[in-house]
Amino acid sequence: MVSGLIKQGTIKVNDILQLGPDKTGAFISVAVKSIHLARVNTNQCEAGMFCTAQLKGLKKKSPIEEMSF
């Protein structure tokens, strides 16, 4: 789960995003599994909104759980 302010654009469930950079400067591809606004499930979040998103790595052995920034 990640949370933050959407500064630009829109994210939707099933969108593919790039997460990073990590300490090595790498990015990994992730899919948006769900989005929550004020603890309510929604399908999208737009610029200016603070939301929480559940992400899933696209590769079988995705290092998403191990990423540190």
Side-chain angles (χ1 to χ4, degrees):
M1 298 289 274
V2 296
S3 62
L5 175 68
I6 304 298
K7 294 181 86 175
Q8 182 178 1
T10 301
I11 62 168
K12 298 177 184 175
V13 173
N14 297 322
D15 277 355
I16 306 299
L17 307 175
Q18 297 293 312
L19 182 63
D22 62 10
K23 290 181 181 179
T24 66
F27 287 79
I28 62 168
S29 295
V30 295
V32 178
K33 288 182 67 177
S34 65
I35 300 172
H36 302 270
L37 292 167
R39 298 184 183 195
V40 176
N41 217 10
T42 187
N43 290 325
Q44 72 179 28
C45 187
E46 300 175 357
M49 296 177 162
F50 188 88
C51 67
T52 301
Q54 182 179 11
L55 306 176
K56 178 182 179 182
L58 296 181
K59 295 182 180 179
K60 274 189 171 181
K61 295 184 179 182
S62 177
I64 191 169
E65 292 84 15
E66 300 170 8
M67 285 188 79
S68 59
F69 301 91

